[in-house]
Amino acid sequence: MKFVKQILLTLFAFLMLNACKDKEIKKEEVLRPVQYRVVGSSSAQNIRTFSGVAKAGDEIELSFRSNGIITTLDIKVGQKVNKGDLIAKLDNVQANLAYEQSVSALNSAKSAMNTAKSSLDRIKSLYEKGSNSLSDYENAKNSYQSALDQYESAKRNKSIQQSQISYGYIKAPKTGIIAAKNNQLNENVSAGQVIAILNAGDHTNIEVGLPENVINKVRLGMNPEISFSALVDKKFTGNVIEIAPIVDEGSATYPVKIDITDPAKEIKPGMTANVTFNFNQEQAKTDLALVIPVKAVGEDGEGNFVFLIESEDGTIGIAKKHRIEIGELTADGFKIISGLSEGQKIATAGLQTLLDGQKVKLQ
């Protein structure tokens, strides 16, 4: 009986050992994540959108040309003004005083000139009769010429002082709408200080700042597409009319002004606009080569290569080493001479650690 129990225990232990060997330990497969990019021509990479701001076609900053205290400022924001309407006026105390002094000086100079002229005529008559010497006649001529010069100078000074009075007035240079009012009555302002902003003209412009890697692609007369977040489902055509040759220090971009060729009344100055440039319209078709990022290209003893990503579900794929021939280096990457076609997926990072035929997870 004891022998039978021993046999049964041995058999049970043998069965348990075999069961443990047959049991499979399942481990979750860890896939290497990779970033990829779809191969496209330079045309697909040359459509860029930038943010801009709508502004009036003719935005005029109004200011005085002299200092003083504002005595008249009868305008409101949004008010329409016609060309020649009075916008603001200074007290002009100093200018009026200087003008009155110039008038007085002119009258004195005119009187002195008339006296010198009468003296010259009298001495000339006596000289012709032999009663006065030649030196007396020459002195009289010099005195008259000096008085005449002083008179002409006084006339010019009066004209200048009269202009100074006009510098204390601001009149609308064009018909438009008051967009901003920066001062109030009885404020002391200086020459050149912006009192108000006048939006004039029928056209609306878009101002956009472009980075240095794009500015050389922009040309006068280009027609970007313009849209506004405030005007849903509406597209407008623009026309590039100004390209700044120097960078704006505040934004580190190059200001570009675009005229809206078909403006709508709903577009208001200050609205944010999206400006889309299609730079391919300025390129020849021969330039529309396949372009891939520099970081996607590897090199070994046999030449250049990329890792093609073959995937059916867009989530899991197989990385396969693939030979290519590259051309010139552009701002967007290498141009491809042969080995790739548009629409293929290529890995763009971690080429040094990828293996041919490796299963990867797409990111």
Side-chain angles (χ1 to χ4, degrees), residues 113 122 135 224 241 253 323 353 360:
M113 181 194 66
R122 181 175 57 81
S135 61
I241 57 176
T253 57
R323 296 289 166 186
T353 57
V360 294

Side-chain angles (χ1 to χ4, degrees), residues 50-63:
F50 302 92
S51 179
V53 178
K55 292 196 173 184
D58 195 357
E59 188 176 85
I60 305 172
E61 294 182 342
L62 304 175
S63 63

Side-chain angles (χ1 to χ4, degrees), residues 309-330:
I309 306 297
E310 296 181 356
S311 174
E312 294 182 358
D313 58 3
T315 303
I316 306 298
I318 303 296
K320 292 188 176 181
K321 196 173 186 179
H322 184 72
R323 296 289 166 186
I324 61 170
E325 183 180 358
I326 61 174
E328 66 174 306
L329 177 63
T330 68

Side-chain angles (χ1 to χ4, degrees), residues 67-176:
N67 306 329
I69 297 175
I70 300 176
T71 58
T72 300
L73 188 62
D74 190 19
I75 56 170
K76 296 180 181 179
V77 174
Q79 176 182 341
K80 181 179 179 181
V81 295
N82 297 317
K83 182 178 179 180
D85 286 353
L86 180 64
I87 302 296
K89 176 187 174 183
L90 294 180
D91 55 356
N92 272 343
V93 172
Q94 297 296 330
N96 285 323
L97 179 60
Y99 176 71
E100 291 176 2
Q101 291 174 344
S102 69
V103 172
S104 177
L106 177 62
N107 292 333
S108 297
K110 184 177 181 180
S111 177
M113 181 194 66
N114 291 334
T115 300
K117 181 67 169 62
S118 298
S119 178
L120 174 62
D121 292 340
R122 181 175 57 81
I123 294 175
K124 180 181 178 183
S125 176
L126 293 174
Y127 169 70
E128 291 175 347
K129 295 178 179 179
S131 299
N132 279 96
S133 64
L134 177 62
S135 61
D136 292 337
Y137 176 56
E138 293 294 338
N139 290 334
K141 284 201 301 182
N142 291 336
S143 297
Y144 170 70
Q145 186 61 48
S146 177
L148 179 62
D149 292 341
Q150 290 180 0
Y151 173 72
E152 294 295 334
S153 177
K155 281 204 305 183
R156 289 192 296 270
N157 185 53
K158 178 191 172 185
S159 178
I160 292 171
Q161 297 306 324
Q162 193 169 17
S163 298
Q164 291 293 329
I165 293 178
S166 67
Y167 294 165
Y169 293 82
I170 298 179
K171 295 185 178 181
K174 293 183 178 180
T175 299

Side-chain angles (χ1 to χ4, degrees), residues 1 7 11 78 137 150 165 167 181 195 202 254 293:
M1 188 67 180
I7 293 175
L11 180 62
Y137 176 56
Q150 290 180 0
I165 293 178
Y167 294 165
K181 177 183 174 183
I195 305 301
D202 298 329
Y254 291 85

Side-chain angles (χ1 to χ4, degrees), residues 169-210:
Y169 293 82
I170 298 179
K171 295 185 178 181
K174 293 183 178 180
T175 299
I177 304 295
I178 299 297
K181 177 183 174 183
N182 302 329
N183 297 89
Q184 302 297 328
L185 280 175
N186 300 319
E187 284 191 30
N188 193 0
V189 296
S190 57
Q193 182 177 338
V194 177
I195 305 301
I197 297 177
L198 176 67
N199 285 346
D202 298 329
H203 286 273
T204 303
N205 294 334
I206 304 296
E207 287 191 3
V208 58
L210 300 183

